Structure formats: structure tokens, C-alpha cells
Amino acid sequence: QVLLVESGGGLVQAGGSLRLSCAASIRTFSNTPMGWFRQDPGKEREFVAAISWSGRSTSYGDSVKGRFTISRDNAKNTVYLQMNSLKPEDTAVYYCAAGRPFGSITPPDFTSWGQGTQVTVSS
């Protein structure tokens, strides 16, 4: 069983920053690739960022590259998403995701999901 709990969402003005956290109840967290996705109502899920189990590799969606940074703290079983230079189009529910032990960080490999945290960016 995997339990992912996101926090840190909220309302921010365009150009501002937010830091999302995902507390992961995963026995093998240090071996598990982690990621972030987002989804607006009525739209398809969009890949945001991912980090390998080792922390040595990261991947970002084109729309957030250069603005968002994913990181992890294996001692705390936590993954973070630092979001800078936020735009109104970043408004979405952000979901933490986990893959399988030693899996890749390609979007199709993420199989477990949190409940999401709302991020709203005002103009």
C-alpha cells in the first residue's frame, strides 16, 4: 500500500512562489521514483516533474521547465516541488505520484497517486 499526502497549495499572485510537499508512506521510498502531475477541471492530466529513486535524475514538463524544481529528502520520506515565477496557467490541482521500486521516471510508469492540493495563481 502507498499513501501520498500533498500539502503547501494555496492562492498566490502571478510571479510568486509556492513550495509543495508530499509526505509518502512507502516502505521502500528511497528506491521509489517520485513525480508531480497536475490537472485542471475538464482537462487531461499533465506531467509536471519527476525525480529518480537515486535523486540523480530529474525530468520536467516543457511548460514548467526553468521555473519548477523537484527534490526529495529520503530521510523524511518527502518529495518537494518548488514553483517559482508562477503564471495563471499553472492553476490546477497538483498530485504527487509514485512509481515502482527502481522504476523509470517516464510519466507512464507512475502508478500511485495522492489526493491532490489546489494551486491557484491570480493575475
Side-chain angles (χ1 to χ4, degrees):
Q1 296 288 344
V2 175
L3 179 63
L4 306 173
V5 181
E6 303 94 335
S7 62
L11 176 65
V12 65
Q13 292 184 327
S17 298
L18 282 175
R19 189 193 192 198
L20 305 183
S21 297
C22 173
S25 181
I26 303 174
R27 184 173 55 187
T28 58
F29 179 80
S30 63
N31 299 331
T32 303
M34 301 295 297
W36 290 93
F37 294 75
R38 66 188 184 186
Q39 188 169 24
D40 286 328
K43 296 183 178 180
E44 68 279 359
R45 183 189 66 185
E46 179 185 15
F47 170 72
V48 175
I51 186 166
S52 66
W53 61 269
S54 68
R56 292 193 290 268
S57 298
T58 58
S59 181
Y60 297 93
D62 290 340
S63 63
V64 307
K65 192 172 185 178
R67 299 187 297 122
F68 291 9
T69 303
I70 188 171
S71 62
R72 67 190 297 157
D73 186 338
N74 287 348
K76 297 180 179 179
N77 277 27
T78 302
V79 62
Y80 304 96
L81 184 68
Q82 178 66 46
M83 306 186 296
N84 298 326
S85 301
L86 283 163
K87 305 174 181 179
E89 50 262 46
D90 294 319
T91 295
V93 177
Y94 283 71
Y95 297 92
C96 182
R100 289 171 287 189
F102 302 108
S104 77
I105 57 173
T106 58
D109 284 354
F110 290 95
T111 58
S112 299
W113 305 87
Q115 291 298 113
T117 185
Q118 177 70 49
V119 172
T120 302
V121 184
S122 63
S123 60

